[in-house]
Amino acid sequence: MRDIILLKQGEMVLKGLNKHRFDQILQNNIRYRLKPFGKFRIYSRQSIVYVEPLNDETDVDGAFEALKTVFGIITLTRAAGCEKNKEAIAKLAIEYLKDAMESAESFKVEARRGDKSFPMTSIELAQYVGGELSDAYPDIRVDVHNPALTVNVEIRDYAAFVHGESVTGAGGMPLGSNGRAVALLSGGIDSPVSTYMIARRGVKPIPVHFFSFPYTSQQAKDKVVELAQILTQYCGSMTIEVVPFTHIQEEIRDKCPEKYFTLIMRRFMMRCAEYIAKSNGCGAIITGEDLGQVASQTMEAMASTQAVTDLPVLQPLVGMDKEDIVRIARKIGTFDTSILPYEDCCTVFTPRHPETRPEVAEVAQTEAVLDIDCLVTEAVNNIERIRVAL
């Protein structure tokens, strides 16, 4: 008996006349993710995406695991289908869920009718299938309040489906359904989480990393590549834009007051990020800033940083507790890599007493001694691009 995978869409079901667009993007993302696992038929009906293996060579186990990280899916389950009559449904439940039933102490049946032309009500169908299961497995008691196993029966357009418990999916919106954005990706804990969180809202990220060799090591760059590689399970294949940042930081160190080093450095980051964003059709810049976490993340400092770009700056972590950020980092698998002891360019020339309440005009006047356009042009003209594939 060949399994089928049922994927329930998340909040995209609330879309109106444009829902078809989101549905098509989700199906395309599913096809892309399932390429290594064989051939599948993928289609959508009544806010359910059906993933049917087309032959016995397909890796359904691998496909199911891969689909857990596809944004736009709220739950997923392995199921089996049959014709839409009560006898066939009960027979399928008895056979398909044999292992699950035999290992459970109690069960109940829940039925849903997506096809309202089915001649039984949901309650009648649940009672019928439950009775047949009780006869087939007399040692397993019925418990409608706290069952060890919930047997699900769904009457859909083309068939009836039987399955056990569903698994929580990645949620969010289909990747790419809300455009593209540049994501500033350092080697720390925060920026991979912020990239993940905005990708979960349907935004395809282009990671940008600022590299200051020899002040930062090759291991630091390798660490960022590893973080991006981990993120591909959610974000798909990406190209990291590695911006050479050494000359900019040395110019800031040599010509600007120490207390402004970090602020001016971050303004240059935003200028470079804006250039990359506009060159790649991106509509925003993603940062991992968390209000009050460090000196450069006060409201005044963030205002100074963002003043140099006219693109929206997306800051999904801005109001989060550090423990919450760490929890997400552990969940998505980036935490252990983020804490490796290889520091990024943000730690280079760190001021002993940084300015935390800067005036935007004051910072702009301070950096006016630099040839800003020339430095940005030099940096973006020498970008190294590193492809990370899913």
Side-chain angles (χ1 to χ4, degrees):
M1 185 180 299
R2 191 180 295 164
D3 283 6
I4 184 172
I5 302 174
L6 304 182
L7 310 173
K8 293 193 175 181
Q9 298 172 0
E11 63 187 273
M12 58 183 280
V13 302
L14 303 175
K15 296 296 179 182
L17 296 177
N18 63 343
K19 181 180 181 299
H20 176 72
R21 170 180 168 270
F22 289 85
D23 192 57
Q24 285 301 116
I25 293 173
L26 176 59
Q27 289 188 46
N28 289 339
N29 292 346
I30 291 169
R31 289 188 182 93
Y32 171 75
R33 189 62 60 89
L34 293 186
K35 280 184 180 180
F37 304 104
K39 295 183 178 181
F40 297 85
R41 181 186 176 215
I42 299 164
Y43 58 97
S44 176
R45 295 290 184 277
Q46 297 176 312
S47 299
I48 300 290
V49 180
Y50 298 82
V51 179
E52 293 183 5
L54 294 180
N55 53 54
D56 293 332
E57 284 69 51
T58 53
D59 180 3
V60 179
D61 292 337
F64 191 78
E65 288 301 310
L67 290 171
K68 291 179 182 179
T69 60
V70 174
F71 293 130
I73 299 168
I74 193 167
T75 63
L76 58 164
T77 187
R78 293 171 70 151
C82 66
E83 59 185 286
K84 293 188 285 186
N85 68 68
K86 65 179 185 179
E87 292 83 7
I89 294 168
K91 183 175 183 293
L92 178 63
I94 291 168
E95 296 175 355
Y96 182 66
L97 297 176
K98 182 176 185 294
D99 292 342
M101 287 293 295
E102 290 179 343
S103 62
E105 295 179 354
S106 61
F107 79 100
K108 73 171 180 179
V109 178
E110 291 187 353
R112 286 172 290 276
R113 293 186 309 150
D115 178 5
K116 299 303 182 185
S117 68
F118 188 76
M120 301 174 74
T121 67
S122 297
I123 293 175
E124 289 170 344
L125 179 59
Q127 290 173 338
Y128 174 78
V129 174
E132 295 297 300
L133 285 169
S134 289
D135 291 342
Y137 301 98
D139 295 332
I140 305 171
R141 61 186 173 85
V142 175
D143 183 349
V144 297
H145 300 293
N146 189 30
L149 171 67
T150 299
V151 175
N152 293 277
V153 178
E154 301 194 31
I155 309 299
R156 293 287 171 181
D157 283 0
Y158 298 134
F161 296 95
V162 172
H163 61 87
E165 304 290 349
S166 297
V167 174
T168 301
M173 302 292 289
L175 187 70
S177 62
N178 281 319
R180 291 148 58 93
V182 157
L184 304 191
L185 187 63
S186 71
I189 295 171
D190 296 347
S191 61
V193 173
S194 65
T195 302
Y196 160 84
M197 291 180 67
I198 296 298
R200 192 170 184 263
R201 301 309 306 156
V203 176
K204 177 68 176 175
I206 295 178
V208 174
H209 178 64
F210 296 92
F211 185 53
S212 293
F213 186 82
Y215 303 106
T216 53
S217 65
Q218 179 64 39
Q219 290 97 324
K221 182 163 71 172
D222 293 343
K223 174 181 171 182
V224 170
V225 173
E226 184 176 343
L227 287 169
Q229 186 69 63
I230 295 168
L231 288 171
T232 60
Q233 64 182 311
Y234 298 98
C235 304
S237 299
M238 300 182 291
T239 298
I240 310 169
E241 306 267 337
V242 181
V243 180
F245 212 53
T246 305
H247 188 200
I248 289 174
Q249 289 192 286
E250 289 177 338
E251 285 288 291
I252 296 170
R253 176 199 61 189
D254 293 343
K255 298 179 180 178
C256 299
E258 181 184 357
K259 67 177 182 177
Y260 293 113
F261 282 179
T262 303
L263 290 168
I264 296 173
M265 174 194 74
R266 293 187 66 82
R267 283 163 66 92
F268 270 94
M269 287 180 174
M270 297 301 282
R271 292 182 177 105
C272 294
E274 181 182 65
Y275 175 90
I276 295 167
K278 291 182 176 180
S279 298
N280 288 274
C282 297
I285 298 169
I286 306 165
T287 73
E289 290 164 309
D290 183 4
L291 185 62
Q293 182 173 228
V294 294
S296 62
Q297 294 176 13
T298 63
M299 284 191 286
E300 294 87 347
M302 287 191 285
S304 172
T305 298
Q306 295 174 26
V308 300
T309 178
D310 58 7
L311 289 178
V313 179
L314 308 180
Q315 301 167 296
L317 312 185
V318 72
M320 294 182 65
D321 186 277
K322 189 68 174 184
E323 291 184 4
D324 294 329
I325 299 170
V326 168
R327 176 180 52 80
I328 297 172
R330 291 186 186 277
K331 171 189 170 184
I332 65 177
T334 56
F335 180 77
D336 289 341
T337 301
S338 290
I339 62 173
L340 292 175
Y342 307 119
E343 297 179 322
D344 57 42
C345 71
C346 293
T347 63
V348 176
F349 311 136
T350 303
R352 290 164 294 179
H353 304 289
E355 179 61 64
T356 59
R357 299 286 185 266
E359 295 282 344
V360 174
E362 183 182 8
V363 180
Q365 183 178 5
T366 301
E367 70 180 8
V369 297
L370 304 171
D371 191 341
I372 294 172
D373 291 342
C374 183
L375 288 170
V376 171
T377 300
E378 177 189 6
V380 298
N381 283 345
N382 289 282
I383 287 174
E384 176 190 6
R385 295 176 173 86
I386 303 174
R387 184 70 173 169
V388 285
L390 178 64

